[in-house]
Amino acid sequence: MSLWHSVTPLSTTFKTSECTRINLPTQLLPVSITRRRLGARHIHKISASSTVRCSAMAIDEGPTSSYLQLQDSLLYSQAFWVSKSIIAWNVNVGDGSCYLYGSKNAALSVANDQIQGGEVKIKLEASADRLPEHVIEKFPHVQDYKVFKVPPALDVKSLLKYQLAVAIFSSDGKCTSVTGMQLPGVLDELFSYEGPLGAIFTNDVVSLYLWAPTAQAVRAFIYRDPTGGHPLEVVQLEEFNGVWSAKGPRTWEGNYYVYEVSVYHPSTLRVEKCIANDPYARGLSADGRRTLIVDLDSGTLKPERWDNLADEKPNLLSFSDISIYELHVRDFSASDTTIPSDVRGGYLAFTFLLFSVNFFLKDSAGMLHLKRLSCAGITHIHLLPTFQFAGVDDEKDKWKNVDFKMLETLPPDSDEQQYHITAIQNEDGYNWGYNPVLWGVPKGSYASNPNGSCRIIEFRKMVQAINSIGLRVVLDVVYNHLHASGPYDENSVLDKIVPGYYLRRNADGFIEHSTCINNTASEHFMVERLIIDDLLCWATHFKVDGFRFDLMGHIMKRTMVKARSMLHKLSKEKNGVDGPRIYVYGEGWDFGEVSKNGRGINASQFNISGTGIGSFNDRIRDAMLGGSPFGHPLQQGFVTGLSLEPNDYDNGTKSDAEHLLAVSKDHILVGMAANLKDLVLTNYEGQEVKGCEVSTHDGAPVAYASYPIETVNYVSAHDNETLFDIVSLKTPIKLSVDARCRMNHLATSVIALSQGIPFFHSGDEILRSKSLDRDSYNSGDWFNRLDFSYTSNNWGVGLPPKEKNEKSWSIIKTRLADPSFKPQKSHILAALENFSSFLSIRYSSPLFRLRTTNSIQARVRFHNTGPSWVPGVIVMSIEDGYEGVPGLSQLDPIYSYIVVIINARPTDALFTSPALRGRNLNLHPIQMSSTDDIVKDSTYDSSSGCFRIPARTTSVFVEPREA
């Protein structure tokens, strides 16, 4: 079928998952959108091969077709100006010649086989040379392109402000090929800049600096108010070597500004006057309409004792001591009736500690819950995006709401709840926030006033309050894409300042969308610089303690390594923060145009190994739960009944299911040993193999980490169904809710007791449900509710939204309609105690938090391995040394030996091991004192080395040191 199909209307808008919408450039319209499911989220991918243009090229037949296609070639940017002296283009010159054209007023066109409208015409020299190695390293996707040399005397810097094109002419003087240019390579070579950017404050002066080397003119409009009114001043910025600047009085502080950038924009083929915020904005008006002129060092913006916070942070001896709890700012308190309604869902909800209620001091329900988790061992709160994002209006009076009391009257399997929620989903106060507009400013909708400096002060108070209860703060950063592009979208910023530079483009010059929409290009110098500057700002001015990188694999490894290094160079003495205590981790998925190092060495799971940067371990998630987020929802895993309690999913023969269970067990063992690639263990066949020699279903190595802190183990995150929901989906429909709850406990216990960094989604510990919603990014408070009164887990609040769940409604409806699926308060409280117990066990011994690869290899052993294993049972031992005795060093002053046994079977399990005979093992004191009477039935016989473990139970045995 021809690429060029009938053209759809220009106003077409496409909804994506976390990205609220895609506003396509005026020339680019989709023929089809391919849905791709990641472990991270639903995303929509628009590929270059699935596009048409609103132009003459839409006509693919007739005698004038070749002329029309040549005319339309200026819409493409297939040539790459990679350095001052080289243009790369995948074209054959033959016996013809190549010319570079430029037009300052963007008047280039094709007519009569000639290029018209240009003031500049430069002959280029075709060369047989290969592109230089440094160019290939930066742009590997053009490594086989032809080289065209630029005359050395050409004033390249001035020419880069023009509309540019290169054209091939045949020997008889006719134009046979023409295309626009991609400029990041030459811009990086000529204009890389490390000086000041944004608003810089000195005693009496505010200076504005903007990097915009392709701009023809830049003006700043200074306003008194956040909206409306006439500008107080219009200031013309002056340029020096690509940086535009202006100075103004200190009285500008507290006012607002926007830039007007006159610049050629390749998406419209015109010189546009773009109205944009400062990319280095540190404050905004509501909805980011204007940039606030704000000095983050001002004492008026600092809460009491803010400058002392670095010395008051919770103690963190090693990254191996980290446990992470993922939380959405709005989820935390939107339903918390113990705090005033005007602060629910915002930053200040975290500050309700020991506040007065009827003359008594008490904590809010949410903060009391976080205190419990902190006491149990959670060290870090990972906040979903808190930068300025699109999809939620900053001004709360514009939000639409649904009557929850009405929704509560509807049946648990009704489709009416989702109908009412989705009817207003783009006009309510809810969104996960993966729609970046400006990375360096706190989101306004979470503040009590989105204008002025309120959001800055309240964000700092939130960080301070969370730290005060023993928890550090991690920010979820989304540097892999931007919500908007082009010269007109009100949420577009970077693509208005230097069009075609900040966003990664394909071979035809169109923006890549594999992440979601508008992929950014960290391989470009000033993109990398902006990312690192932004991280340093959050670390120093907001004193956050870690960063989780969304789709980290779309960022270059070099950028990630440099970012971590720069953060770790920060010090209390110079910067007011303890940089070496800042933890960095992210999603190392390898897909899209960056996969297999397609745009340079990217920060994928395998590439990031050895850097000390963490990445999410999806292998242990899939092995425990079953299948993957792409697979059939009923596909079972180790803790959801695979082989032992089969559901209606066809796993093949009984032997096939048993084989899958054994393979899943091996994946879990590798994960429990921190997913270390060189760790040696015995696999299900009885062979000694390294972690990297254990394979996934598609042949990829399971293990990839070099150090324990590089593995973030998890079974549940904000993406996909909650842990309780996935267990409820995959287990046999007649299973009791008691059994499902114990499976929930089993899954969280594996994560809590594994080497590496444990990660939990908020609500894992209280059986949180989203009514089986697989992608609740825009499902409102109704489906995302957290109840810290422990009255309800939010199960059965209606069929989840149709857009992402309809294909599974039939199996979902059966479960939601069955009242036996819904847990009671007693189940929720038991889950919380169980979760807290396993965290406390983790922190009762350093043996669960080993710091080195060698230590894990020397101390951790897995039993019940090989072909004769007891199916559904995992046995792990951790050995310590003795002071003054050769061999292993002593790490734990209390316990010398630990055995963890995980029984996923529906019946009691017996396991006997000669290697574990003759020890003085007792059930862990925390389990002995718990209210879980089932685990107390666990036994160990020293003379035989035989353990008896109750069904669906994790038991921990410890050998105390002699007094």
Side-chain angles (χ1 to χ4, degrees), residues 811-828:
I811 59 175
I812 289 173
K813 189 176 180 66
T814 303
R815 288 157 175 77
L816 294 181
D818 187 341
S820 71
F821 273 74
K822 185 177 179 65
Q824 303 304 307
K825 185 171 185 175
S826 58
H827 292 112
I828 296 170

Side-chain angles (χ1 to χ4, degrees), residues 857-904:
Q857 183 68 75
R859 297 168 187 268
V860 175
R861 292 286 182 274
F862 292 106
H863 312 266
N864 192 34
T865 57
S868 60
W869 76 303
V870 180
V873 177
I874 290 174
V875 183
M876 176 180 72
S877 65
I878 316 175
E879 184 177 3
D880 200 14
Y882 292 85
E883 199 72 46
V885 177
L888 294 174
S889 61
Q890 181 177 319
L891 302 177
D892 189 336
I894 301 174
Y895 304 123
S896 60
Y897 203 83
I898 297 174
V899 177
V900 176
I901 305 184
I902 299 152
N903 178 18

Side-chain angles (χ1 to χ4, degrees), residues 55-71:
S55 66
M57 284 196 77
I59 302 171
D60 60 355
E61 295 180 1
T64 61
S65 176
S66 62
Y67 163 72
L68 290 173
Q69 291 191 21
L70 185 63
Q71 167 101 347

Side-chain angles (χ1 to χ4, degrees), residues 25 32 53 100 134 158 177 207 285 353 465 490 687 704 838:
S32 64
R53 301 199 160 275
L100 169 65
H134 73 278
S158 298
S177 186
S207 301
S285 64
L353 292 159
E490 61 189 9
Q687 300 171 338
Y704 52 80
F838 281 112

